[in-house]
Amino acid sequence: MDTHVTDAPAVPSSAAAAQTPWLSTREQQFWRAHLEVSKLLEYQLSRELQPHNLAINDYEILVVLSEAPERRMRMTDLATATLQSKSRLSHQITRMEGAGLVLRQECPGDRRGLYAHLTEQGWDMLQQVAPDHVRSVRRHFVDRFTPEQIDALYEALSPVAEHLRALRGRS
């Protein structure tokens, strides 16, 4: 994606457009750089998980389940935690079940509820892959910043994340 932005952004001419607080050139550069970094980073991390036969979403599910009590979580909560639809998560869990990484288990007292449970094989896979993944995160992201930049970025992004989590809680 080209992050170059001209000095005069194209602005639609309509009544609604006239009321829109358009991004300045600098704001557009910032926004587009954020989008590009997010997409490229996810792409690169995904590529580096492929030799382990994992997608980035698989890895995220393994991590979330590993941090949950008893290494299991209700499917609805897992969908929320991983920002996936219940349907998409169900397909992904089916694939991961086939690989022996997770199991679906019934929730006691709730005939319709299901847990996703991290298997020993899934736990072993996570322990095997995590060092490579962390090295990738460092190489492609964390080590690109000074400690002061990391602090500043964390301070800048935390309120945005908090705002978006709050909006998601209302939906």
Side-chain angles (χ1 to χ4, degrees), residues 67-87:
E67 295 171 346
E70 300 179 46
R71 295 185 188 152
R72 71 179 187 179
M73 186 178 274
R74 290 181 69 96
M75 291 283 287
T76 53
D77 296 335
L78 184 58
T80 299
T82 59
L83 300 176
Q84 295 188 54
S85 69
K86 292 176 194 171
S87 173

Side-chain angles (χ1 to χ4, degrees), residues 27-155:
E27 289 168 335
Q28 279 191 35
Q29 289 171 333
F30 169 67
W31 173 241
R32 290 179 183 183
H34 162 72
L35 291 176
E36 184 175 27
V37 166
S38 295
K39 290 176 184 179
L40 287 170
L41 184 60
E42 183 168 338
Y43 172 80
Q44 187 62 38
L45 295 175
S46 293
R47 281 189 68 222
E48 294 180 14
L49 286 170
Q50 285 175 354
H52 301 285
N53 295 315
L54 289 178
I56 193 85
N57 289 339
D58 298 335
Y59 184 82
E60 180 183 19
I61 287 169
L62 294 177
V63 169
V64 170
L65 290 175
S66 77
E67 295 171 346
E70 300 179 46
R71 295 185 188 152
R72 71 179 187 179
M73 186 178 274
R74 290 181 69 96
M75 291 283 287
T76 53
D77 296 335
L78 184 58
T80 299
T82 59
L83 300 176
Q84 295 188 54
S85 69
K86 292 176 194 171
S87 173
R88 181 175 180 205
L89 178 67
S90 180
H91 290 294
Q92 187 163 4
I93 292 295
T94 297
R95 193 174 45 73
M96 293 176 75
E97 254 186 321
L101 303 175
V102 297
L103 282 176
R104 287 178 219 245
Q105 297 175 324
E106 291 184 13
C107 295
D110 183 356
R111 291 193 329 244
R112 293 179 49 200
L114 290 173
Y115 285 113
H117 186 267
L118 182 64
T119 64
E120 282 304 312
Q121 185 176 339
W123 173 246
D124 291 344
M125 171 67 82
L126 181 60
Q127 290 186 314
Q128 174 190 344
V129 174
D132 289 341
H133 182 69
V134 170
R135 279 191 291 275
S136 293
V137 169
R138 278 201 162 285
R139 182 172 57 253
H140 302 303
F141 189 70
V142 174
D143 290 348
R144 302 281 165 207
F145 302 102
T146 66
E148 295 77 17
Q149 288 172 319
I150 290 171
D151 290 344
L153 283 167
Y154 178 78
E155 292 298 318

Side-chain angles (χ1 to χ4, degrees), residues 5-21:
V5 178
T6 62
D7 286 334
V11 176
S13 58
S14 69
Q19 300 299 319
T20 301

